[in-house]
Amino acid sequence: MLVVASFGMVGSVLPADAADPATGAVSDLVPTTSWTGGPFAVPNVTGAAAAEPVCDVPDSCDDFTLTVSTPAGYGTDHVLSISVKWPSTAADFDVYVKDANGTTVGTAASQADPELVVLPPDSGTYTVRVVPFAPLGQSYTATAALVTKPANPAPSTEPAPTLTTYGAPESLPDAHNAGEPSIGNSFKTGATFFQSYLSTYKVGFDDTVNPAKAAWSDVSANATKGCPVGSTTSLDPILFTDHQTGRTLESQLSGVNSLTCYTDDDGQTWQPSTGGGIPSGVDHQTLGGGPYSANGVPGLPGGYPNAVYYCSQDIATAFCAASRDGGQTFGNGVPTYSLLDCGGLHGHIKVAPDGTAYLPNKGCGAAQAAVVSDDNGLTWAVRPVPSSTPGDSDPSVGVGSNGTTYFGYTGADGVPRVAVSRDKGTTWTDNQAVGTEFGIKNSVFPAVVAGDDDRAAFAFIGTPTGGNYQDAVNFKGVWHLYVSYTYDGGKSWVTADATPDDPVQLGSICTSGTTCGSDRNLLDFIDVTMDDHGRVLAAFADGCTGSCVTGGPNNRDAYATIARQSGGKTLRAAFDPQPNLTVSGVTAEVAKNGASSVSATVADTGPAVAKGAVVRILDNGTVIGTTAPIDLEPGQRATVSVPWDTRKLKGTRTVVAVADPFNVIAESNEADNRATTTVTLR
């Protein structure tokens, strides 16, 4: 939504009705209808200050009556898609869809062109209201269509990992002021950092117990620690930790720049930074960093090893500035896109191992996109994600160890989706919905992190309740934090409910910025990272605390909380949980006719499934036989046996049972796979 000069609108609501034609219908037999409106000269920006625009001035709103007729069950495979577009992307129109009772059931009020509303195709009469937010003399063209939902792959067959939540101690400042949190982790020291408004927390996890114990401390920057601008004032907080070096930067937006401090000793001392580049934007700053690209200007000889970027958006464009001294100073801000390319707001910058920088955007024409630089921030290119649709939440990017890029987003239908690129965003594949195991119909705040090239995690706040999730009166959804994982390069995903017994929010969540009421307590995003073992750590503001957890009213809290992976495969295969096969109870059943047998008990004492486990039995070093493969769950044991021909055998025999004799199964302990007994034959 582009902010321009407003004009007064008071009095009764008398919506203009200049759509041509004024009415239309769609059905399963005739699935499409179109109309036009305009041109419009005067902007109506009243929607920027309230949940609904005021329409009491002629031509301030344009209404179209839409009749939908569909048979029962049609919504299983179809949606109602309403698209409104205009010639100049510098203009801006917003769309509101109301049902027969006047309740708003869908909105599209971003800066995307076209604006898109996706709804269930329920039969009824609807009003499609188009608002000329910044029309610039433009007319619009609109289409309503019943379209088939895209096919979605089946969820991954991998077991869903488990996560444990950790709330900040009540004694910490800003413990309940954690909207828009950031999280980082130092591979150098293992420390985790959490930014909660003006406060920077350090969190250590003791993994000698399960679940791990968390120790929180306030390590915020301030004048005493060496950075006078630290923890003083903020329009927006952000934090970034360089995994490799352990350097952490915390930034507080101050307008056209930020008040920024950095630490190299986990918050014991801090140093001031220039904040960002000139020019910079006034909103939505982000910090990120990683290796330099082989293209463009390299780092300083003997200096900080990685590039650091400061990006922010203005009304008409967005800028990124690169630092070659680890964030102490920044170069000039470089435009990354303009309103002719994308809407102003962007997500968090991420840098690939090869130095490619990615700045995700929720509305670049008819799609979401990654804005990409492969020359250390000198130039940027908009690379749309085909089949994506503009959304209300900023998308997020995670980049694997060999450059595979995972783009997590919430589309116009509210469903969380992810697409994958293996060529820096030039093409995208495997675009699919996640969270299908839980029937997620609405989601906000995508956040993605990747580890090994074929592994990534996508955190989001979601609910199985459909409808207009910004309707503070009528929406009754229960929201949880979910984390979806892929272990096959984005071909399939498995989702974990990280807060199964503690909702993150009850009712509506507003993603319309400063026009929101009390349901904007979570603000605009969450964050996710991983530690050196690939364990996922998600930072979120918990909006439902106290009696809300047990069914009381939502208290609209913003409690600083971390969900940390406590079980299952991580984002680094080298640290995957492993099975451990042991053998015991080797017993021989000796028959007089020589048709004897040997049995043994094989067990998996590790935390992971042992797939295809076999046991080989030997008599004085000679193989008697090998059992058929079996799968053993953690803690499971089974008795197996092989036949033993003892007709020609005499004397004392040493019988050995060996689990996994060919070392096919990677185990946590390869030294406890055998057991022995002696048998005397006469």
Side-chain angles (χ1 to χ4, degrees), residues 108 137 169 172 238 304 330 338 343 362 401 410 448 504 513 529 556 666:
L172 291 180
I238 206 74
Y304 192 79
F330 289 84
S338 72
K362 64 185 177 183
S401 58
T410 295
V448 181
V504 174
T529 189
R556 305 295 189 197

Side-chain angles (χ1 to χ4, degrees), residues 425-438:
T426 302
T427 62
W428 298 88
T429 63
D430 304 303
N431 195 342
Q432 61 186 280
V434 299
T436 55
E437 308 98 308
F438 295 93

